[in-house]
Structures are given as C-alpha cells and as structure tokens.
Amino acid sequence: DSGVTQTPKHLITATGQRVTLRCSPRSGDLSVYWYQQSLDQGLQFLIQYYNGEERAKGNILERFSAQQFPDLHSELNLSSLELGDSALYFCASSPRIAGGGEQYFGPGTRLTVT
Amino acid sequence: GNSVTQMEGPVTLSEEAFLTINCTYTATGYPSLFWYVQYPGEGLQLLLKATKADDKGSNKGFEATYRKETTSFHLEKGSVQVSDSAVYFCALRTQGGSEKLVFGKGTKLTVNP
C-alpha cells in the first residue's frame, strides 16, 4: 500500500458526460501528479500540482482540468467524454520538489466511456 | 526530447531463470532513473532507483546500474519467481523544471513454475 488513495476504482459513463476523479496523496506529500495509462499511448503525464498551485502541464486535453485543494487532495475533471478517453487514470504523490524524485502511485481509476 | 525505450515484451521465463529487461534513455542533463512494477489490477510500485552515473539500485533481488556512457539502466534478477510476474516500467525524471516521470512502454514478464 503506497498510502495514495483514489476514488472511484471503476467508472462507467457515456460519451458527452463529465466525471470527477479524486486523489488523496500520502500524508505530508505536497506534490500530486496525474497520469493516463492507455494501451496505445502507454503512461502519459497529464498535470502536476504543488501545494495547491499548478506546477507543470503535460499532454492534457483542454476538456480536462484539475485542482488541488487546501487539504492537498486533488481532483481531475474530465468533460465532454469521448470513447478514446477510456483509460486507467493514476494519481501519484511525492514529498517535495527536490529530493530523490520518486513518486508513489495510487491504485488508479479505470474509466470506461461507452 | 526526453524518452525511454524498453525491450518489447512479452517475456516468458521458467522459475529460477535469469532475467534481463533492457532500458535505454534519451535525456538532457543527468536524469534520475527508476524501475516501477505493476502487478495485475494494481497501481505502479517503485522497485528501485538510481540518481547519478554508476549508481546501482537494488531491491527484492532486482538490480540496475545507471550507465551514462551507454545511456542505459537494464533491470536484472538472478533467479525469478512466479510471484515476479508483472509489467515492468523503466522511467526517468529530468532535473530542473517539471518533475514529471517519462515512462517506457512497459515489458510484461510471465514466470512459469
């Protein structure tokens, strides 16, 4: 158990809908990262937050957005969903910007868009 | 840009066989290198890491050495077990700027009894 929690574990929804994925980082970790894992693209970095502020953006679509709250939990919002958005979405956390660089991953949310 | 290339899988071995999974990288500067493992239905777990050239990361019988001259970080284990069956990902993190991890495509390992 990494200490990172994600809810829900599974999500099935229809095209055009909007969903919210939630992540709680390890106790004391200030950085939260979101990754998408799909069969064709592999593991892709989406976005990073550090202590409530956006720090880096990767291959995140404009239909997707995220935020990190004062209690450090984070939410990833996916809207106008398309079939191609079906994937595993992982959240990871790390203690601080510098350091060893390792990230600790949650169990993921499997999103299926029908 | 930064990238990681892993040997294509799947890899199938018998128990107690020797394992090597090749990983090479392209990066600016001196990245930190990682191996993560994903067991079926689970998230990624950090297996080992190395943060500078010639460092050897090791854990649970697995090891990998950061080779700057060949830009490689190959994963090895002397004697695999059935419980090692999983998908293995090589990853890098560049210094400065974003702390994102860049992953290889993963190598699926199946160990048969």
Side-chain angles (χ1 to χ4, degrees):
Chain A
D1 185 354
S2 67
V4 179
T5 60
Q6 290 187 250
T7 56
K9 192 164 186 177
H10 300 279
L11 201 48
I12 302 174
T13 189
T15 54
Q17 295 299 304
R18 172 189 168 93
V19 296
T20 297
L21 282 52
R22 182 188 169 104
C23 167
S24 292
R26 294 187 324 157
S27 176
D29 284 0
L30 299 179
S31 270
V32 169
Y33 311 78
W34 287 97
Y35 292 86
Q36 180 193 59
Q37 186 180 34
S38 61
L39 280 174
D40 52 345
Q41 297 291 324
L43 269 160
Q44 298 283 320
F45 167 73
L46 296 178
I47 197 164
Q48 177 199 359
Y49 277 81
Y50 177 77
N51 203 19
E53 295 195 2
E54 182 184 302
R55 178 160 173 84
K57 257 185 176 178
N59 301 321
I60 188 166
L61 300 171
E62 285 193 12
R63 301 183 285 108
F64 296 2
S65 65
Q67 53 185 327
Q68 186 179 27
F69 296 86
D71 66 353
L72 300 177
H73 91 270
S74 178
E75 293 181 356
L76 179 67
N77 301 296
L78 315 176
S79 61
S80 303
L81 285 167
E82 301 175 0
L83 295 177
D85 297 327
S86 296
L88 257 174
Y89 291 85
F90 287 108
C91 167
S93 73
S94 67
R96 58 188 187 276
I97 293 179
E102 59 268 32
Q103 297 175 16
Y104 298 89
F105 283 75
T109 293
R110 182 173 292 281
L111 173 66
T112 302
V113 182
T114 62
Chain B
N2 302 314
S3 66
V4 174
T5 303
Q6 284 181 240
M7 63 185 284
E8 295 277 335
V11 174
T12 303
L13 295 173
S14 298
E15 208 165 20
E16 300 184 2
F18 184 85
L19 168 71
T20 299
I21 300 178
N22 290 337
C23 170
T24 57
Y25 66 89
T26 302
T28 52
Y30 302 98
S32 294
L33 301 173
F34 307 87
W35 277 100
Y36 280 84
V37 58
Q38 185 176 28
Y39 297 101
E42 298 184 14
L44 282 76
Q45 297 177 23
L46 177 65
L47 183 58
L48 53 84
K49 71 173 187 180
T51 57
K52 61 183 188 296
D54 300 325
D55 266 2
K56 178 185 279 189
S58 61
N59 186 25
K60 299 180 182 178
F62 291 90
E63 57 183 37
T65 301
Y66 189 141
R67 301 285 187 203
K68 182 169 169 291
E69 62 277 12
T70 54
T71 61
S72 65
F73 192 54
H74 304 321
L75 182 68
E76 296 183 337
K77 186 175 186 183
S79 176
V80 293
Q81 305 301 311
V82 172
S83 57
D84 294 326
S85 298
V87 181
Y88 292 81
F89 292 91
C90 185
L92 67 82
R93 193 201 78 156
T94 56
Q95 298 191 357
S98 167
E99 291 81 50
K100 71 175 184 181
L101 292 174
V102 176
F103 286 90
K105 291 191 179 298
T107 303
K108 182 175 181 180
L109 169 67
T110 300
V111 180
N112 295 318

